[in-house]
Amino acid sequence: MQRLFSIFEPFVLSLLGTVLLATILPARGAFAVYAGYMADAGIVLLFFLHGAKLSRDAIWQGLRNWPLHLAVLASTFILFPLLGLALSHLPGVDPSLATGILFLTLLPSTVQSSIAFTAIARGNVAAAICSASFSNLLGIVLTPALVALLMKVDGGGGVSLASIEGILLQLLAPFVIGHLLRPWIGGFVARRKSLLTIVDRGSILLVVYTAFGAAVVEGLWSRVSPADLGKLALLCLLLLGVILTATFLIARIMRLPRADAIVLQFCGSKKSLASGVPMAGVLFPAAQVGIILLPVMLFHQIQLIACAMLARHYGEQADGEGEGARASEKA
């Protein structure tokens, strides 16, 4: 479990290595076309397997604790975008990075890390599963809709007719087909978690390689200076700090039980790299995807490290309270 939250976790190193490879040896010509086809196939397979994995029971159970789930969704798809709009209009921020920051705030929550952090913090794991799953399910529709509403790329709307077609064919259709086939293949997928992990991470690496390769060919690193990267890191830290504080205060105002308050804080403060990478590949021109994904990748690492520390603190706090209660009973 600790490896998941380490900055030196293998997937993080693989991600950095992929960016380095795309910088040194970007895909060009016919190879770029074939790499793009492979990335598209990986995205289709990824959403197909996620559709087969998500049970219908999880969808229906998620309706029960509706105040908590609505709060998580409001944080993910209302509060985050408002903060993204504010940050993207700050003076001195590179316009391309500002676009990436805004796109970051429109993404759904993570699933695996949100649930893992909730478990470590001794929160309501069942509610976390429902909230995170709901967020990802709705994100397939809500994220492209918010991109169309709030973003402009190259002077045009963020979602074109081709983008809508890509969303339907590459994201939504495979997900629906996988879910419809769940009675026959759901058990197979559930028994082979390693397969989903390989497809999940492999598809991300493929899209990152093709996206960054195309961006490098278009002069990505000549457009992003070390100073810009430093500003971006500070903005990601600020964004995470504000959202963690906001979800903590909202839980207090709603008077949520401790276990549910933890769900709101961890599920409501996350943004999914796993969803963000393929969605960016579908929604934006190839040459722009690399720079748009920079904030998503950076925020992903920062949220893992910061939330791991916070989850451990909550977990130790809960363990201490439990020991205190047992000691009082004995006395």
Side-chain angles (χ1 to χ4, degrees):
M1 182 65 72
Q2 290 181 349
R3 289 173 59 217
L4 174 64
F5 309 122
S6 171
I7 193 171
F8 299 113
E9 195 263 346
F11 180 59
V12 176
L13 295 178
S14 299
L15 201 58
L16 295 175
T18 301
V19 172
L20 180 62
L21 179 63
T23 300
I24 299 172
L25 295 172
R28 300 175 184 270
F31 178 62
V33 175
Y34 293 131
Y37 288 149
M38 290 176 62
D40 290 344
I43 292 170
V44 170
L45 181 58
L46 171 66
F47 277 83
F48 174 81
L49 292 177
H50 274 291
K53 178 184 175 184
L54 183 63
S55 70
R56 213 156 295 173
D57 289 339
I59 297 174
W60 292 119
Q61 287 175 8
L63 294 173
R64 296 180 181 178
N65 196 352
W66 61 266
L68 172 61
H69 301 318
L70 286 179
V72 170
L73 293 174
S75 175
T76 303
F77 295 113
I78 298 177
L79 181 56
F80 250 121
L82 290 175
L83 292 173
L85 284 171
L87 291 177
S88 64
H89 286 87
L90 287 176
V93 180
D94 180 272
S96 297
L97 293 178
T99 299
I101 291 170
L102 181 54
F103 175 67
L104 156 69
T105 62
L106 306 183
L107 294 173
S109 178
T110 63
V111 176
Q112 293 175 337
S113 63
S114 293
I115 295 168
F117 288 136
T118 299
I120 291 172
R122 308 295 187 268
N124 187 340
V125 175
I129 293 172
C130 294
S131 286
S133 299
F134 258 153
S135 178
N136 269 253
L137 185 63
L138 292 176
I140 297 176
V141 176
L142 287 182
T143 295
L146 288 170
V147 169
L149 180 65
L150 301 176
M151 297 182 67
K152 289 186 180 296
V153 182
D154 282 344
V159 177
S160 63
L161 184 61
S163 297
I164 294 173
E165 182 182 348
I167 293 163
L168 292 175
L169 295 179
Q170 288 184 256
L171 307 183
L172 190 57
F175 184 91
V176 171
I177 293 171
H179 190 66
L180 292 176
L181 292 177
R182 176 178 165 76
W184 296 277
I185 65 173
F188 174 84
V189 174
R191 290 191 300 271
R192 289 165 176 79
K193 294 182 179 179
S194 59
L195 172 64
L196 187 59
T197 299
I198 292 172
V199 174
D200 196 344
R201 299 186 174 191
S203 62
I204 291 173
L205 294 178
L206 276 171
V207 174
V208 167
Y209 174 72
T210 56
F212 269 85
V216 167
V217 171
E218 295 293 325
L220 169 65
W221 297 119
S222 64
R223 297 167 55 194
V224 180
S225 66
D228 285 332
L229 286 176
K231 290 178 184 178
L232 180 59
L234 290 175
L235 289 176
C236 288
L237 284 168
L238 175 62
L239 177 62
L240 182 61
V242 170
I243 203 70
L244 285 172
T245 303
T247 50
F248 175 81
L249 294 175
I250 292 170
R252 285 290 184 91
I253 294 171
M254 295 178 64
R255 297 182 179 179
L256 293 177
R258 179 187 180 279
D260 287 353
I262 287 172
V263 174
L264 174 57
Q265 188 157 54
F266 287 125
C267 292
S269 65
K270 298 290 185 309
K271 288 297 175 179
S272 175
L273 178 70
S275 297
V277 171
M279 284 185 179
V282 173
L283 293 172
F284 302 103
Q288 295 182 0
V289 172
I291 196 167
I292 287 173
L293 285 176
L294 269 180
V296 181
M297 294 171 64
L298 188 56
F299 186 84
H300 177 78
Q301 310 312 324
I302 291 172
Q303 74 180 10
L304 281 180
I305 296 168
C307 291
M309 296 171 61
L310 188 61
R312 289 192 184 104
H313 169 72
Y314 285 155
E316 291 170 359
Q317 189 179 59
D319 291 341
E321 291 174 356
E323 290 176 2
R326 286 191 293 271
S328 299
E329 290 175 1
K330 290 180 181 180

